[in-house]
Amino acid sequence: SFAAARRRFKVAAIDYGIKLNILRCLADSGCDVTVFPATADAADVLAAKPDGVFLSNGPGDPEQPTYAHRCVKGIVGQVPVFAICLGHQILALASGAKTYKLKFGHRGANHPVKDISTRKVEITTQNHGYAVDPGGLAAAGLEPTHVNLNDGTVEGMRHRSLPVFSVQYHPEASAGPHDS
């Protein structure tokens, strides 16, 4: 069958507070997912020989889990990395960029986010109180890919030369007629 012939990707998901639906979406997309705790180190994650690493959403101040920064630093450049929400912020910090606390967090649905390359606007669902500081992205080898149309915050980024990218929002949360 088509489904059986489809290549399965081995994804290591680091759990900072992951939603079950994220794991369901990865599995439905053809991924064999192994979940690692937030305190995992890079050697343990890479020993699983994943095709890529997913950094999950979760609560809290992204500067606090320094163990996560060390882990992500050891993974970037070894395998492709994709991150959302808190994982997006941890990825920025591990790469040398900065984050800051928002005066008013982004909560709920209907947050318009513009994809810089396509100029399309996606309606997203968000739940975070911190954002990535755009001022340090270039020095960290990163560039913005998405911007929040309400307040101009960085909603997505990618590394200029490595297979590393992230979004601030929850891409599977059904904020509009199509998931972002």
Side-chain angles (χ1 to χ4, degrees):
S1 79
F2 174 78
R6 191 170 56 171
R7 184 181 190 290
R8 303 287 294 178
F9 293 100
K10 285 178 57 177
V11 174
I14 301 180
D15 180 4
Y16 303 125
I18 198 166
K19 296 187 309 185
L20 180 58
N21 196 45
I22 298 282
L23 296 172
R24 190 177 299 117
C25 288
L26 287 169
D28 289 348
S29 296
C31 299
D32 291 322
V33 183
T34 302
V35 179
F36 289 84
T39 55
D41 64 27
D44 291 337
V45 174
L46 294 173
K49 300 191 184 313
D51 295 311
V53 174
F54 172 72
L55 309 177
S56 84
N57 58 296
D61 181 346
E63 291 187 18
Q64 295 302 312
T66 55
Y67 52 84
H69 306 166
R70 283 190 301 275
C71 177
V72 172
K73 234 181 243 192
I75 291 170
V76 168
Q78 304 300 310
V79 294
V81 176
F82 173 62
I84 65 168
C85 200
L86 180 62
H88 163 82
Q89 298 160 6
I90 290 171
L91 177 61
L93 291 165
S95 300
K98 303 275 187 220
T99 60
Y100 63 95
K101 186 168 178 51
L102 293 165
K103 184 174 181 179
F104 301 104
H106 297 168
R107 312 281 180 217
N110 298 323
H111 290 266
V113 171
K114 180 177 168 183
D115 181 322
I116 295 170
S117 66
T118 66
R119 304 185 55 80
K120 290 183 180 179
V121 175
E122 301 172 350
I123 302 303
T124 67
T125 298
Q126 303 194 17
N127 187 21
H128 61 97
Y130 293 84
V132 172
D133 183 348
L137 289 181
L142 300 166
E143 61 187 14
T145 59
H146 295 75
V147 64
N148 187 299
L149 293 179
N150 288 332
D151 63 9
T153 55
V154 175
E155 290 285 347
M157 61 186 185
R158 69 175 179 189
H159 195 278
R160 287 197 176 122
S161 60
L162 299 172
V164 173
F165 61 103
S166 63
V167 293
Q168 178 61 75
Y169 48 87
H170 295 220
E172 57 33 284
S174 300
H178 303 285
D179 291 352
S180 55

